[in-house]
């Protein structure tokens, strides 16, 4: 049994909130740079140039990459031999978010009630997921999620008979309907299988995987590549102004499902796809 | 890229075509959801707006807080569609330009044509880059709305793209068509 004081978690979350909003992950930066070289649309090429300039300025001048510093999603992989001490884990996470968003001059974009609204003033509560895994380590990933792209996400309970074609059509429909709203180039997270709720979580988790990696199963790796190619033939382009670079990457995550179903969720993200991971 | 000095004149507005890349300089106002709601409520009651709307430009933005010594925090555009309900009446009152991102409703496009206005796109997600164009920032009204308060900014060479021009042409349709045509 390894004891971890939750204060450590608070500190880690605080730092990750700030860093995730200042430094774009390397895979996204590389994809933007490569896409700009390959872009043939004139406006699209210029826009990508500005987007590259933007993440450089963010790093250099320590200004958030995007003003929508997101709702904070926190993913835990907790080793089953870990024992948290010194307080409540979820409270510790929210304290980290509170401090990170204050000290990092990040925008507080969370309302306390979905209908009655009212800004909570400190970006809490975070959306927290915990997975229990082997070992005595804790892996934390902080992913601030902007809502320009979150609002463009969809889920569909496809029928088994819809097959892979049903999945392709649905993903393309979601991208098409998203159009210019999620600040393209986008990153597309696809979840297939599980239940209604689990499928949406798979799609969200797909966005955490670097876009220069592939699904370990060849069938899905091929599907990722195929979908990316088709999406980038749509012509939507950077910011929706026309061009090749509509998406930077498509990631698919799957899991077993029921004999009667084939749930499919598409979580849309933008060129400011942020995540930061730390192992304690 | 064309340089444009504010305030907008009839001549400038009519010369702008969808897809034009411009560098905008001059005074603009910031407002988003809650601010728009308040402005329209004021107009309904027959009250005056807290700024001179004639020939003005509104930027749909809710920036991150500025650090000490900074003029403004990260300041990219928010999705314009949420202001569609309020935009036509503001154009009727004299608003000439809007800066945001994303599609507009048919009513907004109609008003853009009728009142000879222009809808500019700032790059969504380029808040750090856009913040560098802001040279001054003062509060005008609705302070209690925090990031949504009505502010007056002086911007210099703000990089924008004309999304919908005063004739109603839309880059989201035309840009895509042109790109796809160039591929065949
Ligand atoms: S969709 Fe992404 S890039 Fe666009 S405003 Fe939201 S967080 Fe920023």
């Amino acid at each position: 049994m390894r004891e971890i004081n939750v204060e450590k978690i608070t500190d880690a979350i605080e730092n990750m909130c700030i860093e995730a909003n200042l430094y774009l992950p390397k895979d996204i930066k590389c994809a933007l740079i490569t896409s700009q070289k390959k872009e043939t649309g004139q406006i699209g090429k210029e826009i990508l140039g500005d987007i590259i300039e933007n993440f450089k300025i963010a790093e250099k001048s320590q200004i958030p990459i995007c003003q929508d510093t997101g709702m904070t999603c926190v993913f835990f992989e907790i080793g089953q031999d870990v024992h948290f001490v010194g307080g409540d884990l979820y409270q510790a996470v929210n304290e980290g978010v509170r401090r990170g968003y204050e000290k990092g001059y990040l925008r507080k974009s969370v309302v306390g009630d979905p209908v009655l609204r009212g800004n909570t003033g400190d970006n809490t509560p975070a959306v927290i997921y915990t997975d229990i895994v082997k070992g005595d380590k804790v892996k934390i990933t902080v992913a601030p999620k902007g809502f320009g792209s979150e609002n463009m996400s969809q889920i569909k309970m496809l029928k088994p008979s819809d097959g892979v074609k049903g999945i392709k059509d649905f993903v393309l429909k979601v991208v098409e309907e998203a159009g210019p709203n999620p600040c393209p180039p986008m990153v597309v997270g696809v979840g297939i299988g599980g239940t209604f709720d689990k499928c949406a979580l798979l799609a969200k988790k797909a966005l955490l995987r670097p876009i220069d990696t592939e699904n370990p199963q060849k069938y899905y790796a091929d599907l990722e590549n195929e979908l990316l190619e088709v999406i980038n033939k749509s012509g939507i382009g950077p910011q929706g102004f026309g061009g090749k670079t509509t998406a930077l990457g498509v990631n698919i995550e799957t899991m077993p499902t029921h004999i009667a179903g084939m749930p499919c969720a598409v979580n849309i993200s933008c060129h400011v796809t942020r995540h930061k991971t730390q192992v304690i | 890229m064309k340089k444009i000095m504010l305030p907008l004149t009839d001549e400038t507005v009519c010369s702008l075509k969808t897809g034009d890349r411009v560098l905008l300089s001059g005074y603009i106002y910031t407002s988003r959801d809650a601010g728009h709601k308040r402005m329209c409520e004021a107009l309904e009651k027959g009250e005056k707006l807290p700024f001179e709307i004639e020939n003005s430009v509104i930027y749909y933005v809710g920036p991150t807080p500025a650090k000490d010594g900074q003029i403004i925090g990260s300041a990219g555009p928010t999705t314009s569609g949420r202001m569609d309900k309020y935009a036509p009446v503001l154009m009727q009152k004299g608003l000439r330009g809007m800066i945001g991102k994303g599609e507009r409703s048919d009513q907004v496009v109609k008003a853009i044509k009728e009142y000879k206005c222009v809808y500019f796109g700032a790059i969504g997600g380029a808040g750090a880059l856009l913040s560098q164009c802001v040279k001054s920032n003062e509060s005008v009204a609705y302070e209690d709305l925090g990031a949504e308060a009505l502010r007056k900014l002086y911007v210099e060479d703000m990089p924008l793209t004309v999304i919908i021009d005063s004739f109603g042409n839309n880059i989201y349709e035309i840009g895509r068509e042109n790109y796809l045509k160039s591929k065949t």
Side-chain angles (χ1 to χ4, degrees):
Chain A
M1 186 74 78
R2 179 178 165 225
E3 288 199 343
I4 297 180
N5 194 304
V6 293
E7 257 175 44
K8 258 196 165 157
I9 306 289
T10 300
D11 290 345
I13 300 271
E14 174 188 326
N15 283 332
M16 284 191 277
C17 286
I18 298 174
E19 292 202 353
N21 276 298
L22 292 177
Y23 305 99
L24 205 56
K26 212 170 112 220
D27 57 304
I28 305 283
K29 286 192 206 169
C30 289
L32 283 167
I33 292 168
T34 328
S35 306
Q36 203 231 0
K37 290 195 183 118
K38 290 195 199 148
E39 181 57 69
T40 50
Q42 185 49 38
I43 306 180
K45 207 175 179 74
E46 286 177 30
I47 296 286
L48 287 171
D50 282 353
I51 287 176
I52 292 167
E53 187 61 28
N54 181 64
F55 72 66
K56 289 185 182 162
I57 292 174
E59 277 181 22
K60 213 176 101 224
S61 308
Q62 300 282 291
I63 295 178
I65 313 162
C66 178
Q67 78 292 335
D68 185 353
T69 48
M71 186 158 194
T72 321
C73 302
V74 182
F75 299 84
F76 278 99
E77 283 177 29
I78 303 171
Q80 60 186 14
D81 297 331
V82 168
H83 177 210
F84 289 112
V85 294
D88 177 292
L89 177 66
Y90 281 27
Q91 273 177 14
V93 170
N94 285 324
E95 183 56 29
V97 170
R98 191 172 292 127
R99 289 187 202 166
Y101 275 68
E102 195 53 42
K103 285 191 195 162
Y105 292 86
L106 307 176
R107 200 181 74 186
K108 288 81 184 168
S109 317
V110 173
V111 293
D113 185 285
V115 181
L116 305 173
R117 317 301 291 179
N119 200 306
T120 60
D122 57 8
N123 222 55
T124 68
V127 175
I128 306 170
Y129 293 103
T130 47
D131 283 334
I132 306 295
V133 298
K134 275 193 212 146
D136 63 357
K137 300 261 184 298
V138 176
K139 185 176 167 191
I140 315 170
T141 300
V142 170
K145 185 68 171 74
F147 260 55
S149 52
E150 192 73 354
N151 281 339
M152 296 296 119
S153 308
Q154 297 186 37
I155 187 163
K156 184 152 193 202
M157 301 307 281
L158 291 166
K159 292 191 282 295
S161 62
D162 292 327
V164 69
K165 180 164 186 305
I167 291 167
K168 288 184 205 169
D169 290 349
F170 180 58
V171 174
L172 292 176
K173 177 184 120 63
V174 177
V175 167
E176 191 62 43
E177 287 177 12
N181 288 343
C183 302
M186 14 182 152
V187 176
V188 183
V190 183
I192 311 171
T195 47
F196 178 77
D197 51 326
K198 192 74 186 189
C199 181
L201 181 56
L202 286 173
K204 173 125 286 140
K205 283 190 172 173
L207 293 173
L208 301 180
R209 175 155 60 82
I211 53 173
D212 54 5
T213 60
E214 288 187 330
N215 185 297
Q217 243 177 298
K218 186 172 181 303
Y219 180 81
Y220 290 109
D222 289 346
L223 187 57
E224 288 175 345
N225 290 328
E226 187 189 333
L227 281 169
L228 181 62
E229 212 181 299
V230 183
I231 289 170
N232 283 340
K233 279 190 181 141
S234 68
I236 296 171
Q239 298 293 299
F241 296 160
K244 180 178 190 297
T245 321
T246 300
L248 298 172
V250 177
N251 281 351
I252 301 176
E253 296 295 331
T254 66
M255 71 172 293
T257 189
H258 190 275
I259 44 172
M262 191 176 63
C264 181
V266 182
N267 195 188
I268 301 284
S269 189
C270 49
H271 64 89
V272 190
T273 294
R274 296 156 282 199
H275 41 80
K276 190 86 198 154
T277 299
Q278 193 178 324
V279 179
I280 293 176
Chain B
M1 278 168 97
K2 267 191 223 173
K3 289 211 178 215
I4 294 182
M5 213 36 223
L6 294 175
L8 289 170
T9 61
D10 286 345
E11 203 190 338
T12 319
V13 170
C14 291
S15 74
L16 290 171
K17 297 279 163 337
T18 186
D20 283 353
R21 296 265 289 148
V22 303
L23 294 170
L24 191 82
S25 301
Y27 284 104
I28 61 174
Y29 294 90
T30 71
S31 183
R32 46 178 288 163
D33 312 46
H36 271 74
K37 191 161 174 254
R38 263 200 215 170
M39 286 195 281
C40 288
E41 281 166 2
L43 287 174
E44 262 171 40
K45 283 190 229 145
E47 291 167 9
K48 269 192 71 177
L49 291 178
F51 70 106
E52 182 51 69
I53 193 164
E54 191 71 34
N55 287 328
S56 65
V57 173
I58 291 181
Y59 183 20
Y60 303 141
V61 63
T64 60
K67 291 184 196 167
D68 286 343
Q70 258 180 358
I71 297 168
I72 199 167
S74 193
T78 191
T79 306
S80 311
R82 292 194 318 274
M83 269 57 76
D84 282 357
K85 203 174 134 193
Y86 312 109
V89 57
L90 295 177
M91 285 186 260
Q92 190 200 358
K93 297 283 173 202
L95 177 72
R96 278 325 271 286
M98 294 155 284
I99 307 173
K101 66 165 174 120
E103 306 270 14
R104 306 308 301 260
S105 68
D106 292 345
Q107 288 91 316
V108 171
V109 180
K110 201 172 142 241
I112 287 177
K113 285 199 276 187
E114 187 173 343
Y115 304 111
K116 290 278 157 229
C117 301
V118 53
Y119 170 43
F120 298 100
I123 300 176
L129 176 97
L130 290 158
S131 74
Q132 311 283 293
C133 311
V134 180
K135 303 300 174 194
S136 78
N137 172 0
E138 58 182 284
S139 172
V140 176
Y142 313 149
E143 275 279 9
D144 58 305
L145 298 180
E148 297 203 34
L150 183 69
R151 311 191 71 86
K152 184 178 182 181
L153 309 181
Y154 187 82
V155 294
E156 214 169 83
D157 290 340
M158 186 181 193
L160 304 173
T161 308
V162 176
I163 298 181
I164 302 174
D165 63 28
S166 56
F167 306 96
N169 301 307
N170 186 341
I171 185 71
Y172 294 139
E173 290 152 19
I174 295 172
R176 189 171 178 183
E177 264 167 37
N178 287 348
Y179 171 78
L180 291 174
K181 248 187 257 159
S182 74
K183 292 278 108 187
T184 51

